[in-house]
Amino acid sequence: MHLIHVLRSRTYYETSYRREIVIRRAGSEELESATGYGIASVFTPERNRGKGYARRMMQLLHWVLAPRANLPPFPESWGAPPVESFGDATVSVLYSDIGEHYYANAGPDETAKGWITRDPVSTMFEVPLDQPRLDTSALLLSERECLEMWEKDSARIRSSFPTVAKGVGFSFLPENGLGRFMLQRVIAYNGMKGYKAPQIWGASLGDDAQNFVTWVPDKPLSPPSLVSTRLHATPDKFP
C-alpha cells in the first residue's frame, strides 16, 4: 500500500505513508489485516514557528486519517473539519525529534491525547575501527534479495504473531514498500557530493527469514553509521 499523503501550505509541511499492518485485539485468536500510517517530515519554516500552526495541523490530521466514528465531536472553535478524509487508520506511528510531550498534546480536540510514547527500546552497537571480520557463512543481500527476504519475513510475522494478553498488538509489515522506502531514500543520495550508494543492504544465514538483518546508512553524507531496518536473529545463530 504505497499511498503517500502530503499536507503542505506556506506555513507547515507533513507527510503520511499508508502501510499494511496486522493487528490482534486483546484476548483474540483472530489476526486481522488493517491499515496503519507512518507520519514523517513534520516541519514549520522558521518564520512561522511559535504560532501553533504545526500543532493544529497535527490535531487535524486525526480527522484526515482516523474513522470519524472513533473521534470526539469536532471543536466548534476550529471551524469546519477537513473535507478530505481517508477514515481507514487503525493506528498511526511517528518518531519525534523534539521529545514526547509535543505530539502527546496534539489530539483530535483540545483535551484528548495525541501520539503517546509506548515503552520505546533503542539498541546501539559501537563497532571499533579495528573490529576483526567475523568468519561466518552469512549471505550478503542485494536490493532484490532484501525484497525477497522482507516478503518471507512478512509471511513469518503473519503465521507467528502472538496472542495479546491485554491491550492490542500490531505490527507493520516490511513488504510492499516499507523496507524498500528507506533503501531508496539512501540510493537517492548516489552521486551527491561524491557519495556512492552501497550495493549490499543486509546479511542472512539462509533464505527462510529466520536469521537475517537489513540495514541502511543513517546519514549517507555524514560519518559512517548503520541503522537496522529489520532484524530477526538469535545471538547464538547470528553473532
Side-chain angles (χ1 to χ4, degrees):
M1 304 174 75
H2 302 287
L3 183 143
I4 300 176
H5 167 252
V6 181
L7 179 61
R8 65 185 302 171
S9 72
R10 294 181 179 179
T11 54
Y12 48 72
Y13 308 87
E14 176 274 326
T15 306
S16 301
Y17 299 89
R18 180 187 287 172
R19 302 299 188 197
E20 183 180 358
I21 68 168
V22 289
I23 183 169
R24 180 163 281 161
R25 314 286 177 175
S28 173
E29 296 295 327
E30 182 180 355
L31 189 64
E32 306 171 28
S33 294
T35 297
Y37 286 84
I39 300 169
S41 305
V42 180
F43 177 78
T44 304
E46 187 173 359
R47 67 182 181 278
N48 294 316
R49 293 174 187 168
K51 301 177 182 178
Y53 293 138
R55 178 173 179 267
R56 181 53 49 83
M57 176 189 69
M58 298 305 291
Q59 290 177 309
L60 292 173
L61 186 59
H62 296 283
W63 293 88
V64 174
L65 301 183
R68 296 285 172 95
N70 294 349
L71 297 172
F74 190 82
E76 293 184 5
S77 61
W78 292 7
V83 175
E84 180 184 11
S85 175
F86 297 115
D88 60 355
T90 303
V91 300
S92 62
V93 174
L94 63 81
Y95 296 88
S96 172
D97 289 330
I98 57 175
E100 61 184 274
H101 300 294
Y102 183 86
Y103 294 104
N105 293 322
D109 62 16
E110 294 293 3
T111 59
K113 289 295 184 182
W115 289 269
I116 308 297
T117 302
R118 299 290 188 187
D119 302 323
V121 175
S122 178
T123 303
M124 181 177 296
F125 300 96
E126 294 190 9
V127 182
L129 293 177
D130 59 350
Q131 173 73 33
R133 185 182 296 272
L134 291 175
D135 182 16
T136 73
S137 57
L139 305 174
L140 300 181
L141 303 178
S142 65
E143 178 180 358
R144 177 185 59 79
E145 290 165 330
C146 283
L147 295 176
E148 295 171 353
M149 192 64 65
W150 289 326
E151 290 181 1
K152 294 174 182 177
D153 189 35
S154 297
R156 183 188 57 78
I157 292 172
R158 290 188 182 94
S159 65
S160 61
F161 201 82
T163 299
V164 183
K166 58 182 179 179
V168 175
F170 72 91
S171 176
F172 285 82
L173 297 176
E175 63 183 355
N176 293 333
L178 179 59
R180 193 174 197 178
F181 168 77
M182 298 296 293
L183 187 150
Q184 290 293 328
R185 180 173 174 268
V186 172
I187 291 177
Y189 281 91
N190 198 38
M192 188 182 300
K193 297 183 180 179
Y195 178 72
K196 185 177 181 180
Q199 299 297 310
I200 299 300
W201 303 93
S204 74
L205 291 185
D207 60 1
D208 57 1
Q210 292 300 316
N211 287 279
F212 83 101
V213 59
T214 58
W215 60 68
V216 295
D218 181 18
K219 297 178 181 178
L221 302 183
S222 299
S225 60
L226 292 178
V227 172
S228 172
T229 54
R230 279 297 297 166
L231 172 65
H232 189 269
T234 58
D236 59 323
K237 294 274 184 75
F238 203 176

